[in-house]
Amino acid sequence: METSSIRTAIRAGRTIRGAHMIYPAPRIVEVLAALDLDFIYLDGEHGCFSPADLAQHAFMLQKLGITPIARVPNNTRATITHFLDRGVRGIVVPHVESVEDAKRAVEATYFAPRGDRSYGGAFPVERDKSELEDFLGECNEAVTLSVMIESRAGIEAVDEIAAIDGIDYLSFGMMDVAQQLGHPGRPDHPAVQEAVADASARIRAAGKPVREDFMRFAWIDDIVLTGAKALLGAA
């Protein structure tokens, strides 16, 4: 098991590319692999992935050399464990508003000594059980954790959240931030943009990157529609 490609990219200052999936589509993922993508983002909060879908996509992506990342629907140990046990290698936790929220995510994502992730016994059959301690350490290196700031409270606490060990990068839920700041449906509003820019500067000052600093991605529906228009012409 190798060190996370996401963490390696952050350390190297390298830009990585991926696609944001909101529904299961293994054949589309297989086709997109031809683009040498670095990651696929499985949206477990707003998307429609079953446990079997998650496991199928994670297994296939790892065979293709693409890192499976997933946004979980909530910040609980049971949910994060469930996604990690399906083979997801990057956890994205939404609606983080405090240091306590962020520490809870770290605890659930990593095995000791970094966290307190639950071990379910899914040890690879080709490895000796005596290597379990080394294996758990390798799991920690293979997984990344990102938290999403989506509220006024999260923006206010972003300095402390970004400083927590175990969080690799942060991002913003722009639609929710806009709504919280009194501009629903207007993530482009100057007040929203100013608040996010200020929070981003504070995140970087704490030594962590913002997602847009090193990740490029497109939503799957935009990819499909853009390709269709290019090949078929606009209606």
Side-chain angles (χ1 to χ4, degrees), residues 14-38:
R14 183 174 68 87
T15 298
I16 54 178
R17 304 178 307 146
H20 186 135
M21 305 292 295
I22 55 175
Y23 44 77
R27 177 56 179 157
I28 290 180
V29 168
E30 188 176 12
V31 171
L32 290 175
L35 299 176
D36 293 326
L37 297 182
D38 299 285

Side-chain angles (χ1 to χ4, degrees), residues 52-234:
D53 292 330
L54 290 171
Q56 178 188 24
H57 282 70
F59 178 80
M60 181 177 66
L61 286 167
Q62 290 180 39
K63 292 297 183 182
L64 291 170
I66 300 173
T67 301
I69 301 172
R71 173 162 57 178
V72 297
N74 55 64
N75 186 14
T76 66
R77 179 185 297 272
T79 295
I80 293 173
T81 298
H82 177 79
F83 275 72
L84 290 171
D85 284 352
R86 302 289 79 72
V88 169
R89 293 288 179 84
I91 295 294
V92 180
V93 178
H95 307 291
V96 170
E97 298 188 331
S98 66
V99 168
E100 291 73 23
D101 287 347
K103 287 183 175 179
R104 189 181 310 119
V106 171
E107 285 288 304
T109 301
Y110 298 103
F111 292 115
R114 176 172 284 186
D116 191 29
R117 173 182 167 184
S118 176
Y119 175 68
F123 195 82
V125 294
E126 71 272 13
R127 297 185 59 153
D128 192 298
K129 293 274 187 179
S130 64
E131 299 177 358
L132 182 56
E133 183 177 0
D134 291 338
F135 173 69
L136 299 185
E138 291 172 10
C139 287
N140 282 351
E141 285 302 307
V143 171
T144 55
L145 173 63
S146 174
V147 298
M148 295 188 69
I149 305 301
E150 306 191 71
S151 67
R152 187 185 299 273
I155 288 176
E156 292 173 353
V158 77
D159 312 74
E160 296 173 284
I161 292 171
I164 294 172
D165 183 47
I167 294 176
D168 294 285
Y169 62 99
L170 293 85
S171 62
F172 297 90
M174 293 299 296
M175 292 296 288
D176 286 352
V177 168
Q179 181 168 262
Q180 283 264 316
L181 297 182
H183 305 286
R186 288 291 312 280
D188 59 341
H189 191 281
V192 176
Q193 291 292 313
E194 182 179 354
V196 170
D198 176 72
S200 297
R202 289 153 55 203
I203 290 169
R204 296 180 186 113
K208 299 290 173 64
V210 176
R211 179 182 62 189
E212 285 71 21
D213 291 340
F214 72 102
M215 278 185 166
R216 289 183 57 197
F217 69 92
W219 290 64
I220 185 59
D221 284 353
D222 292 336
I223 293 172
V224 172
L225 287 172
T226 300
K229 287 178 180 178
L231 293 172
L232 304 175

